[in-house]
Amino acid sequence: MEKLRGKIIVTGISKGLGFETTKKLLDCGWDVIGISRTYNDEFWDYPGFKWLKYDLSDSQQIEGFLKENIGNKQKIYGFVNNAALAYDDIITNMKVEKLENMYKINVFSPISITKFCLRNMLFHKTKGSIIHISSISVHTGYNGLSMYASTKGAIEAFSKNTAREWGRIGIRSNCIVAGFMETEMSGTLSDEQRDRIYKRTSLKKYWYCSSCA
């Protein structure tokens, strides 16, 4: 019987944090299944990379999609829930359709993917790891981010309880709250808005770590 190779699922791999996370995992020798709407050509050089095209706003079909394209023939060691949509606006301007779409991408689809990964880990008796990328907006209020923060707050609550349910058999679930980063999601901010964010940090200014790049 062919020995199964361990895989890590990462969402939102085409750019930003998802791209860098995927590249780091591949460079460290992991096989990665990347899920996103668009592809990044830089991954062609990695034989351990597989791309699955999917729009996470279709939260109804994601579980069936994963069963069909991954199933239990591939052994899942981890899941990095990185993909997210930021619907930025003050709550008095809320549009239900936009809010529902954000919840499909940021909450409903990640929960379904977690379900799939947990079942795969249980099937293979894998002590795996689930990582959700959260947001500082859950813990520190920002104007215009109440709705976005609510999705990340939901994921944090989900992750804590998932850890309680499955930690006893070695399946971990954690959230990472990254600091401010220059990504496409933050690219819509003005210089004034960025400056206000920097002033909330200990250094009070933008800081770039060249050794981490």
Side-chain angles (χ1 to χ4, degrees), residues 38-185:
T38 56
Y39 184 71
N40 192 311
D41 291 337
E42 290 194 40
F43 293 134
W44 276 117
D45 297 331
Y46 292 94
F49 178 78
K50 178 181 180 180
W51 178 56
L52 296 177
K53 182 177 182 179
Y54 195 84
D55 186 342
L56 294 178
S57 64
D58 185 2
S59 57
Q60 294 283 345
Q61 306 298 323
I62 182 64
E63 189 175 350
F65 176 82
L66 295 173
K67 288 179 180 178
E68 180 181 349
N69 289 277
I70 302 175
N72 283 331
K73 291 184 178 180
Q74 301 185 62
K75 188 175 182 180
I76 304 301
Y77 275 93
F79 167 41
V80 181
N81 169 29
N82 166 75
L85 172 69
Y87 167 35
D88 301 349
D89 208 342
I90 56 176
I91 189 62
T92 51
N93 292 336
M94 185 268 288
K95 300 291 188 297
V96 173
E97 296 82 1
K98 290 185 177 182
L99 182 63
E100 287 179 341
N101 189 57
M102 181 169 61
Y103 263 85
K104 288 176 182 177
I105 295 170
N106 295 5
V107 181
F108 300 153
S109 282
I111 288 177
S112 290
I113 298 173
T114 299
K115 173 188 174 183
F116 170 82
C117 291
L118 285 170
R119 285 175 173 260
N120 183 285
M121 291 171 185
L122 291 170
F123 180 84
H124 292 288
K125 296 181 172 60
T126 305
K127 295 183 178 180
S129 178
I130 296 165
I131 301 293
H132 300 282
I133 306 301
S134 186
S135 169
I136 189 64
S137 63
V138 176
H139 308 277
T140 304
Y142 289 92
N143 289 333
L145 290 182
S146 59
M147 293 178 286
Y148 173 70
S150 73
T151 66
K152 291 300 184 178
I155 281 295
E156 288 198 12
F158 170 70
S159 178
K160 289 176 184 177
N161 287 275
T162 300
R164 285 285 187 180
E165 291 176 359
W166 302 105
R168 66 185 182 277
I169 60 173
I171 299 176
R172 292 160 289 139
S173 180
N174 292 282
C175 288
I176 293 176
V177 179
F180 179 79
M181 295 175 289
E182 294 287 351
T183 65
E184 183 173 305
M185 186 181 292

